[in-house]
Amino acid sequence: FFFSSRRRHTRCREVSWARRCVQETELNQLISIERDARRFKFFDIGKQKNKWKSRDSLLHTGTVISVEYIPKWGLLATTANDNSINFWDAEDDYAFKNRISTPEIQLCAKWNEEGPNFLYTAGCDAVIHAYDPEPDSCKEVTRTDPYNVLAGEEKKCGHTAQIMVLLVLPKQNKLVSSGMDGLICFWSFDRLELKTRLEGHKKGVYTLEWAEEIASLFSGGTEHDVYIWNPYVDKRIFLLKGHNHSLVKIKYMPGTSQLISADISGMVRVWDLRTFTTVQTLNVPLNEVHSLELIQKPKMIIVGGKRLLFYEYDEPTDTNLADEESCLCILYNAVFFCFVTAHPRSIKIWDAANGKLLSVFRDLTDREITCISLDKRQRKLFVGDSKGRVFSINVKNGALMKKFARHNDVSSSLVYCGKTTRLMSCGWDGVVKVHDDKESDSQSDTR
């Protein structure tokens, strides 16, 4: 399960929000592109105190749109709406190295490391370009043919609208592209010859992801659903439903069966590809989400909007234990058919039928949790902590519902009386308090 990390970045003074994030696996750095800016920012992920460093792309006269890291020569390629591709030395504090002019605005870029060492770009002209970014002979190698509206149906090839994303499949020796026309096209590496097309999306496709372990392609965009494809079959094999807004990114976690998808509203879903079900839902506290990246070491989700939010992965050392810390209390909820367990730093919800972990509520309080109790309807959970505080949360989503008068010492026990809607709490201060759960005043006490 992923949980919200205390690491977050809010310094976005000269721009509105983070546009796109790219992880450089070798340098262990995160690159952030922000809206309407001619600069990109970067910081080291591994350092304790991450400070942004910005690089002004003064040679770009327009907004930076996409970035791609080229590990072979240690270069960072940036495309902008001034019809150019700039190359920066990632090993020399991103000093400027070279520049290529493009016939149209390039909306995406992808480096091919294992096949022909080409940098593929595509954009507004629905044409894919292949460049050789070698510093001494930086040039365009080949490109796809533009779409011909007058050609016969059998001769039509490629995309008919802007290409939004490119994806390299090394073992299949294919380049995958998708765009606003809803098509997914497979191309050869060297000559960019069209191999096959997948049709099924009715609207634009913004994101692609490939899972090598299960040989499946994932796509998403305006239609709110995650499409699952087998590249050797013309039709989709499954739909993952659950989002209510346009998808911005899909990421697969290698070595696991988990797929992560994010939509523009801030909903992030973690899917189990063995059962095609949602195992966790994260509601990101941002008005809009525009980027999502997955880091392998340490496992972490980074969500970008007006600021960057980090979600760390809680991987237990012993899978036979409910939690690494002690279990303080366990309650059975007959309404939702689940068990509720309390731990010093979290509250966990378990499926009573199969023992599956359903939800984890963290950061409910800055002190250790000491006691819990359910209300009569079993939709509220009352929680007490070591600072004497007493409050109630929603059992389904962990949202705070109400605060009650606190004790002067540790809250030791909670008991709810359903007939009178009274909550009784006692603490190490030697006081027993009776709270009225119906009262609107959060600090009101009956006795």
Side-chain angles (χ1 to χ4, degrees), residues 48-316:
Q48 295 292 333
K49 295 183 178 179
N50 304 115
K51 294 184 178 180
W52 283 108
K53 296 181 181 180
S54 62
R55 170 62 61 197
D56 288 315
S57 306
L58 298 180
L59 296 178
H60 277 306
T61 58
T63 301
V64 179
I65 298 176
S66 67
V67 300
E68 180 68 9
Y69 178 57
I70 305 175
K72 183 177 181 179
W73 289 289
L75 299 175
L76 186 75
T78 60
T79 68
N81 61 4
D82 58 358
N83 294 14
S84 68
I85 303 174
N86 283 1
F87 296 91
W88 312 84
D89 192 345
E91 299 176 356
D92 187 18
D93 199 26
Y94 296 99
F96 175 75
K97 295 292 292 185
N98 210 337
R99 173 189 174 99
I100 297 178
S101 297
T102 60
E104 274 289 346
I105 298 175
Q106 303 301 295
L107 301 176
C108 54
K110 194 66 179 178
W111 166 251
N112 187 0
E113 180 70 19
E114 298 186 16
N117 294 143
F118 293 159
L119 176 68
Y120 301 103
T121 65
C124 296
D125 55 357
V127 175
I128 301 177
H129 305 261
Y131 295 94
D132 182 3
E134 186 175 357
D136 297 333
S137 59
C138 192
K139 61 182 180 179
E140 182 179 7
V141 179
T142 184
R143 67 173 67 178
T144 60
D145 296 328
Y147 173 69
N148 185 2
V149 70
L150 300 178
E153 186 68 29
E154 68 280 357
K155 294 183 179 179
K156 291 183 179 180
C157 63
H159 293 276
T160 61
Q162 297 97 324
I163 299 176
M164 303 301 297
V165 60
L166 296 173
L167 182 66
V168 172
L169 308 183
K171 294 187 178 180
Q172 282 71 27
N173 294 323
K174 292 179 181 178
L175 175 72
V176 188
S177 62
S178 64
M180 296 303 295
D181 54 6
L183 298 175
I184 300 176
C185 299
F186 291 78
W187 311 83
S188 62
F189 275 160
D190 48 0
R191 299 183 180 180
L192 291 180
E193 296 177 346
L194 182 65
K195 296 299 183 180
T196 183
R197 297 199 312 182
L198 299 179
E199 300 180 6
H201 284 279
K202 297 179 180 179
K203 298 180 181 179
V205 180
Y206 299 147
T207 176
L208 292 173
E209 181 65 340
W210 172 255
E212 186 64 46
E213 289 88 345
I214 58 177
S216 296
L217 179 70
F218 306 93
S219 62
T222 314
E223 296 172 271
H224 308 174
D225 301 327
V226 178
Y227 284 62
I228 303 179
W229 308 84
N230 184 324
Y232 303 103
V233 180
D234 294 338
K235 296 182 180 180
R236 69 171 187 265
I237 59 177
F238 202 79
L239 275 180
L240 297 180
K241 293 182 175 292
H243 289 280
N244 298 319
H245 298 82
S246 300
L247 299 180
V248 296
K249 202 67 176 289
I250 301 173
K251 298 295 290 184
Y252 173 72
M253 184 181 295
T256 68
S257 58
Q258 292 184 341
L259 183 76
I260 302 167
S261 60
D263 63 35
I264 195 172
S265 70
M267 177 183 287
V268 178
R269 285 184 173 269
V270 182
W271 306 86
D272 188 344
L273 296 178
R274 294 170 297 185
T275 59
F276 294 139
T277 57
T278 303
V279 295
Q280 186 180 7
T281 301
L282 302 173
N283 293 311
V284 180
L286 296 173
N287 292 332
E288 288 186 357
V289 168
H290 296 271
S291 62
L292 179 140
E293 283 299 325
L294 179 64
I295 299 177
Q296 296 297 326
K297 295 182 180 180
K299 290 182 180 179
M300 184 184 301
I301 296 176
I302 303 178
V303 183
K306 286 190 176 180
R307 63 182 186 271
L308 294 181
L309 300 180
F310 296 78
Y311 291 87
E312 298 180 6
Y313 188 70
D314 181 16
E315 192 169 8

Side-chain angles (χ1 to χ4, degrees), residues 326-379:
S326 60
C327 183
L328 306 173
C329 180
I330 180 169
L331 302 176
Y332 175 66
N333 190 318
V335 175
F336 297 114
F337 197 55
C338 64
F339 290 104
V340 182
T341 59
H343 309 274
R345 298 296 178 184
S346 65
I347 291 177
K348 297 185 177 182
I349 312 296
W350 307 81
D351 192 329
N354 52 26
K356 181 180 178 182
L357 182 62
L358 299 177
S359 302
V360 180
F361 305 140
R362 300 181 184 275
D363 300 325
L364 297 175
T365 174
D366 57 355
R367 297 299 178 91
E368 290 188 357
I369 296 172
T370 55
C371 52
I372 59 173
S373 180
L374 287 167
D375 72 333
K376 181 181 179 180
R377 299 172 63 242
Q378 298 189 354
R379 286 172 170 80

